[in-house]
Amino acid sequence: MERVDVITGTTAAAIGVKLSNVEVIAAYPITPQSECVEMLAKFIADGEFDAEYIKVESEHSAMAACIGASATGVRTFTATAAQGLALMHEMLYIASGMRLPIVMLNTNRALSAPINIWCDHQDSVTERDTGWIQIYAQNNQETLDSIIQAYKIAEDEDVLLPVMVCIDGFILTHTVEPVYIPDERKVRDYLGIYEPKHAYLDPDRPITQGPVGVPECYMETRKQINDAIERAKEVIKRVNEEYYQLFNRRYGNGLVEGYNLENADTVLVAMGSVCETIRYVIDRLKKKGKNIGLLRIRTFRPFPKEEIKEMLEGAENIGVLDRNISFGLNMGALGTEIMATLRDKKICNYIVGLGGRDITPRNIEEIVKHLEESKDVETKWIGLKE
Amino acid sequence: MGKRFPREELLAPGHRGCAGCGASILVRMALKAAGRDVIVVNSTGCLEVFTTPYPETAWRVPWIHTAFECGGAVASGIERAIKALKKRGKFKDRKITVMPIIGDGGTADIGFQALSGALERGHDIVYIMYDNEAYMNTGVQRSSATPLFASATTAPAGKRSKGEDRPKKDMAMIAAAHGIPYVATACISYPEDLMKKVKKACEIEGPAFIHVLQPCTVGWGYNPEDTIKIGRLAVETGFFPLYEIEHGEFRITYRPAKRKPLKEYIRMQKRYRHLTDEDIEILQKYVDERCKLLGLE
Amino acid sequence: MVTIGAIIYEPGSTVRNKTGGWRTFRPILNTEKCIKCEICYIFCPEGAIYEDEEENFRINYDYCKGCLICSKECPTNAITRVREEK
């Protein structure tokens, strides 16, 4: 039976993992993710959940153990953030290169130095080219739903790629919200058991996984990953609809979600929890007669180029919020990609909320004001101290 | 007539190992001992490279390679996945051995943490360290398993250097300090001893660690035909004693009638050719002390 | 077509790669002198020594790289060596 719990984002993720009937978890604690793997350990300790849990000695080993388990043919999960994700870096390429549908929660957190445990997106956008699908959830409900959807997407035979569900550290991980918990049996029926055809270690069918990719084959493996993540767009949209039919919730078309885009000349583009703040400001400005739109990018990878083009066709002022910075370019990752997608539009890039700096409604209003007044393409840092 | 060794070849010929390669000999022996119900984990290194250039593989057992430093962790994941699959009814009443076969670099250096984690957590794995005492795959750079006074490309002998300036890291004893049920040393020149140890390791529940000395023609500098002879000398001189530690109980498994002078072993290898008789005396003393410690007079 | 994840589904497929061409010296096994101690068999890095139907040991020259470990280790000197004619 579906029920409502008032829970944090990390708990929502842990419940999502439990509902998804994950068989092997390998995890290493790191703030602000730890509560997720603590909850999973507790579920197992209390006999509510029958997964194998490997208490690894680092995030690198967490991903390596997930790769080993997934390559043996079971459903796997891990969670991390920031330094932990950076430590996993080479293994992320290996997970996608071996076409293993591992699902990971990344609780977005700034990268050292100086050490900082608070939210920004530098950690996950840095991993954008690793062949992982990246879903950015905006609240705790979407966190839970996205974990379940992630398995459906990752294990689809047209995809077979790992998925990272990204949620904003502290803002979602440590804040409670009411969350609908779907019926366990319904989720299990929806996902089924992971039974791969391509990759499983089994003495009865001795295959070689992870061989030397000589120049005669390596480039083709890259193209295959690129094609698969491109195909994932349709799968993500389909899963979004199926999920709506079963559980009555959907997130835009799965890839992007628009808000108040009709007749809005000025549109903000963003990812993650800040979208909820933006929506609040949009509603407030609407009462003052101002029409501002929001395009929320839910999947940063695959990057929804077609949707962006279509949904921003009428927009004249486009402001992209980035919780990350590419040093030496003075732009964020989303800004550069929106610019590459919409070449003839006026686009301003706003660097916001690094290392847990709050993004307040006032900041959003400041962005809107700047965007409407600016004549040219510009990058502006918002919320810097004097 | 009874066969001395099983006939099934689980490592196919046609692999690109050097002529006289000790690692291939080790793999043949280990798989003959373990049988078919095995999953091999390689870390990056010679063995991985010469057995699996796509689209061909020399392996007739399931095999996986991911990266260099994580063999212990990958094996941990596989071992738990097998447990999970058993809950589904797969591999019923079968003991599948998860067998990392990983070099000295991937074990004693870059993979040390993952190994320690896997041993400490008590995974049921048979970890075989194939020790050729340097990074042979990349051109004989020193590892922490490179022995004292051996010349390696990053610890070369020269006017002001006698080669490697630190003694070999004692991986078997480090593994034993984890309190695991089975630790052994072995050498490819003693196939029955090696295979007995692998078999025992497969049968024992929990982590097993076998440190196998495996001469390398390229890195050590000798004629390919001498691979077995050099391994034998390493053992006969007491440079590499053969022992096992089963549930904490230490036992020498091969005791040379009389230890040969270390010089016989050293003088066969180019990596030691810069050494004077006095230098070899220093090494001899070091070996004598270690043998005494192990009760191998 | 490269397989998904570059997985190799054909175990032992290196048998297509005949490494016999690497040889400089050819070991020759004299069955008369062989005592079937299996020493050459177990020490061969290639697994290139096999038993024929009469349980005599033979060398598979398709794969033998000519390392000569077999010749060196044979206790009865049943394996001699000759230079390969190119």
Side-chain angles (χ1 to χ4, degrees), chain C residues 11 35 43 58-59 67-68 75 77 86:
Chain C
I35 56 166
F43 285 143
R58 301 274 177 202
I59 296 168
C67 71
L68 303 177
N77 296 318
K86 292 282 167 184

Side-chain angles (χ1 to χ4, degrees), chain B:
Chain B
M1 205 176 101
K3 312 268 189 226
R4 197 169 156 195
F5 302 110
R7 291 296 186 259
E8 194 168 30
E9 293 298 341
L10 295 170
L11 183 77
H15 63 72
R16 275 86 166 165
C18 302
C21 170
S24 344
I25 299 172
L26 158 65
V27 171
R28 284 188 65 230
M29 291 175 182
L31 294 181
K32 281 178 189 296
R36 274 187 175 270
D37 273 354
V38 69
I39 293 172
V40 172
V41 180
N42 265 185
S43 288
T44 312
C46 279
L47 182 61
E48 166 255 337
V49 170
F50 77 66
T51 54
T52 68
Y54 187 90
E56 286 170 1
T57 180
W59 299 88
R60 289 176 172 144
V61 293
W63 179 96
I64 184 170
H65 159 258
T66 66
F68 202 173
E69 68 277 57
C70 50
V74 173
S76 304
I78 296 168
E79 184 249 12
R80 291 303 180 88
I82 291 168
K83 271 193 174 175
L85 288 169
K86 284 192 168 187
K87 289 180 202 166
R88 288 197 210 161
K90 200 174 171 180
F91 302 135
K92 214 166 176 272
D93 304 323
R94 276 164 76 180
K95 190 170 190 307
I96 312 288
T97 297
V98 180
M99 183 182 281
I101 308 179
I102 298 174
D104 46 298
T107 300
D109 290 345
I110 196 167
F112 191 69
Q113 175 182 318
L115 165 69
S116 179
L119 298 183
E120 170 273 320
R121 290 189 297 271
H123 295 282
D124 191 13
I125 61 174
V126 177
Y127 193 112
I128 297 177
M129 166 188 178
Y130 72 98
D131 183 8
N132 47 34
E133 304 195 317
Y135 290 92
M136 299 321 186
N137 187 41
T138 46
V140 202
Q141 296 84 13
R142 73 77 82 175
S143 79
S144 60
T146 303
L148 188 63
F149 292 171
S151 186
T153 52
T154 52
K159 258 187 211 158
R160 294 172 61 188
S161 161
K162 288 189 189 302
E164 173 57 28
D165 60 357
R166 299 290 306 155
K168 187 175 173 66
K169 195 179 200 173
D170 192 344
M171 280 308 296
M173 287 302 177
I174 290 169
H178 287 76
I180 58 175
Y182 192 72
V183 173
T185 61
C187 174
I188 55 165
S189 305
Y190 298 81
E192 266 134 344
D193 179 78
L194 187 151
M195 290 169 68
K196 214 163 121 185
K197 285 168 177 169
V198 171
K199 220 174 166 75
K200 198 181 267 187
C202 291
E203 281 158 11
I204 284 175
E205 290 286 335
F209 181 87
I210 307 178
H211 177 176
V212 181
L213 187 73
Q214 168 256 296
C216 167
T217 67
V218 177
W220 297 15
Y222 63 84
N223 285 333
E225 64 187 273
D226 289 329
T227 294
I228 300 302
K229 185 179 174 192
I230 287 187
R232 199 178 292 126
L233 278 171
V235 174
E236 296 287 344
T237 56
F239 175 84
F240 194 83
L242 302 184
Y243 60 83
E244 65 182 4
I245 307 171
E246 194 177 343
H247 296 294
E249 207 162 300
F250 177 89
R251 192 173 74 86
I252 295 279
T253 58
Y254 176 78
R255 201 174 283 275
K258 189 177 185 309
R259 277 200 290 126
K260 289 191 169 156
L262 188 65
K263 202 170 167 180
E264 283 185 35
Y265 171 65
I266 297 293
R267 285 298 182 212
M268 279 188 77
Q269 304 171 51
K270 287 202 186 91
R271 63 176 173 160
Y272 287 122
R273 73 176 152 196
H274 57 286
L275 298 187
T276 63
D277 284 354
E278 290 76 52
D279 296 332
I280 296 175
E281 233 1 83
I282 296 173
L283 290 178
Q284 180 69 61
K285 281 210 181 86
Y286 177 72
V287 166
D288 290 346
E289 273 167 31
R290 280 197 70 233
C291 284
K292 201 172 165 189
L293 215 62
L294 297 179
L296 198 70
E297 289 304 319

Side-chain angles (χ1 to χ4, degrees), chain A residues 162-212:
Chain A
V163 179
M164 194 184 293
V165 175
C166 300
I167 69 172
D168 287 344
F170 289 96
I171 301 163
L172 297 186
T173 61
H174 286 62
T175 309
V176 294
E177 291 179 333
V179 172
Y180 287 97
I181 316 288
D183 176 66
E184 185 158 340
R185 182 174 295 167
K186 225 164 136 185
V187 175
R188 290 191 177 198
D189 286 349
Y190 178 52
L191 290 182
I193 295 168
Y194 176 53
E195 283 182 299
K197 293 192 186 80
H198 71 306
Y200 59 95
L201 294 164
D202 180 347
D204 296 332
R205 187 192 74 150
I207 63 170
T208 287
Q209 293 190 64
V212 180

Side-chain angles (χ1 to χ4, degrees), chain A residues 9 22 44 87 145 152 206 210 250 269 355:
Chain A
V22 169
I44 294 167
L87 185 59
D145 294 335
K152 195 74 182 172
R250 69 177 145 201
V269 184

Side-chain angles (χ1 to χ4, degrees), chain A residues 264-281:
Chain A
D265 295 337
T266 300
V267 176
L268 299 182
V269 184
M271 304 194 292
S273 64
V274 73
C275 294
E276 300 224 317
T277 313
I278 294 171
R279 246 191 296 263
Y280 168 78
V281 173

